[in-house]
Amino acid sequence: MPTTILAIESSCDETAVAILRHDEGRVEVLASEISSQIDIHREFGGVVPELASRNHSLHLRPLIEIALEDAGLKIDDIDAFGATAGPGLASSLLVGNTTAKSLSVATGKPFISVNHMEGHLLSPFLEAPELKSNLALIVSGGHTLLIHMRDFGDYKLLGSTRDDAAGEAYDKVGKMLGLPYPGGPEIEKQALDGSPTAFNFPRSMMKDGLDFSFSGLKTAVLYQLEKLDPEQGRAPSEAIPDLCASFQQAVIDVLVAKTMLAAQQCGEKLISLSGGVSCNKTLRSAMQQTCDQHGFELLIAPPALSTDNAAMIGFVALHSHLRGQHSSLHEDINPNLKLAQA
Ligand code: KG4
Ligand code: ZN
């Protein structure tokens, strides 16, 4: 019997709805709709929580209707409803979570509460034949996590950031350089015209376990800006590509080195890379090259599944549903929801 899941993602500034079907061991994404609010938040230089939740409320119902239409289904054809419960912005999480619970009550079908980071963690496997144990690096706007995934639901935290997440560092440095929000894709673009060795930025905690720290790197970029233009603390526009390329290289060197170390420590031969920052082509190719050198297999989600989307939430909900793991309607959102323990 095929199983059909409708999932909602609303943890930050993307409203997303997806419908997935599982049939004879195969998973198919029947619809995946995203309404991005990036243009709305750009003029404020970052996400404004009140605007985010208001826009989730505006867009969610039409997106559900479009997703059902795309999939050629009616609400009664859905077998279970999943929604992100955290981590994320409380007022944004509430919109998607409450909507999924309401649909569950109205149709009498189960509700499944999903951890957003588990969505990222499993996203590289959405187009793979099966889940496999692996060492995962998740690099998003809010998190930098090294996880040993032994099985579905069996996750061990090996390393995380002590301060800024990798994506957060990209966004903050982008802001310092006067680039539009979000800084990640803009820095990647600028870096194409710059030299990664123009400035020697620090590789923090490189020889110091599996935790990360990116705030020193961010401060080093700031000091460099002040040196370039002591009065304004700004970079002359011709220095921006070199600053971006050198900053990016420092981030990538640390991410790749710690991922290799973690994989060696936990003995996994498969490495997975996920989260918004994994869209970065320079990171992808550096990770691929180093994996090839060390004999590791690398699995990366396509870019559309790397940034926030509801297909990855539906994928987790589907795996839970197939194992009979449903959530109580009393299960609340949790803005600080954790994925794994050390
Ligand atoms: O996973 P995601 O969409 O949302 C969170 O769960 O946070 O990640 C968003 C982050 C932002 O910090 C954004 O700047 C970064 O991913 N990002 C990138 C690129 N595309 C998105 N960072 C570097 N290079 C990119 N191409
Ligand atoms: Zn995310």
Side-chain angles (χ1 to χ4, degrees), residues 156-170:
K156 185 174 195 290
L157 178 68
L158 302 180
S160 62
T161 183
R162 301 245 174 115
D163 39 59
D164 293 337
E168 192 178 358
Y170 265 100

Side-chain angles (χ1 to χ4, degrees), residues 11-14 116-117 120 139-143 166-168 170-171 181-186 188 248 275-281 306-308 312:
S11 64
C12 190
D13 57 353
E14 320 277 5
H116 179 85
M117 301 314 293
H120 281 304
V139 269
S140 71
H143 296 80
E168 192 178 358
Y170 265 100
D171 295 341
Y181 172 84
E186 297 293 329
E188 175 173 27
Q248 177 164 276
V277 181
S278 74
C279 290
N280 189 286
K281 291 196 188 72
S306 298
T307 47
D308 288 350
M312 67 181 193

Side-chain angles (χ1 to χ4, degrees), residues 124-185:
F125 292 91
L126 225 165
E127 295 178 347
E130 56 181 348
L131 299 181
K132 280 189 182 160
S133 74
N134 71 98
L135 180 279
L137 173 67
I138 313 176
V139 269
S140 71
H143 296 80
T144 306
L145 301 174
L146 279 167
I147 303 272
H148 184 193
M149 169 177 163
R150 292 174 285 213
D151 199 352
F152 177 72
D154 183 359
Y155 314 130
K156 185 174 195 290
L157 178 68
L158 302 180
S160 62
T161 183
R162 301 245 174 115
D163 39 59
D164 293 337
E168 192 178 358
Y170 265 100
D171 295 341
K172 287 179 175 168
V173 167
K175 202 168 183 174
M176 274 190 241
L177 296 175
L179 300 174
Y181 172 84

Side-chain angles (χ1 to χ4, degrees), residues 20-269:
L20 278 74
R21 172 162 292 169
H22 177 268
D23 195 8
E24 293 180 357
R26 286 188 54 241
V27 178
E28 195 184 349
V29 178
L30 301 182
S32 183
E33 304 297 330
I34 301 183
S35 165
S36 173
Q37 302 177 14
I38 282 181
D39 291 342
I40 296 168
H41 298 283
R42 184 166 282 149
E43 70 173 288
F44 304 98
V47 179
V48 183
E50 285 82 356
L51 280 179
S53 54
R54 197 184 308 160
N55 278 281
H56 288 310
S57 305
L58 275 176
H59 296 299
L60 192 48
R61 186 176 171 162
L63 277 186
I64 293 171
E65 285 166 356
I66 294 169
L68 285 167
E69 204 176 301
D70 277 4
L73 297 173
K74 301 209 162 30
I75 202 77
D76 286 330
D77 298 324
I78 305 297
D79 297 309
F81 295 90
T84 304
L89 300 168
S91 54
S92 287
L93 290 164
L94 272 173
V95 177
N97 206 260
T98 312
T99 304
K101 284 175 180 165
S102 310
L103 289 169
S104 158
V105 171
T107 57
K109 304 287 175 58
F111 165 71
I112 301 159
S113 170
V114 177
N115 184 316
H116 179 85
M117 301 314 293
E118 191 172 11
H120 281 304
L121 177 73
L122 297 198
S123 62
F125 292 91
L126 225 165
E127 295 178 347
E130 56 181 348
L131 299 181
K132 280 189 182 160
S133 74
N134 71 98
L135 180 279
L137 173 67
I138 313 176
V139 269
S140 71
H143 296 80
T144 306
L145 301 174
L146 279 167
I147 303 272
H148 184 193
M149 169 177 163
R150 292 174 285 213
D151 199 352
F152 177 72
D154 183 359
Y155 314 130
K156 185 174 195 290
L157 178 68
L158 302 180
S160 62
T161 183
R162 301 245 174 115
D163 39 59
D164 293 337
E168 192 178 358
Y170 265 100
D171 295 341
K172 287 179 175 168
V173 167
K175 202 168 183 174
M176 274 190 241
L177 296 175
L179 300 174
Y181 172 84
E186 297 293 329
I187 288 181
E188 175 173 27
K189 236 184 276 166
Q190 292 285 338
L192 293 175
D193 299 322
S195 162
T197 53
F199 301 101
N200 187 18
F201 290 132
R203 273 71 172 155
S204 305
M205 297 180 66
M206 192 70 151
K207 301 220 161 21
D208 203 3
L210 294 176
D211 279 347
F212 301 88
S213 166
F214 292 110
S215 91
L217 169 59
K218 184 188 64 190
T219 312
V221 177
L222 182 65
Y223 287 161
Q224 189 60 56
L225 289 182
E226 287 168 355
K227 262 194 233 163
L228 289 169
D229 183 349
E231 281 173 22
Q232 309 279 341
R234 273 201 266 117
S237 55
E238 61 273 19
I240 289 182
D242 280 346
L243 285 163
C244 288
S246 301
F247 159 78
Q248 177 164 276
Q249 195 57 50
V251 174
I252 291 175
D253 283 353
V254 177
L255 292 178
V256 172
K258 298 224 176 211
T259 303
M260 294 305 123
L261 188 61
Q264 278 151 3
Q265 278 188 15
C266 68
E268 289 292 347
K269 280 284 166 212

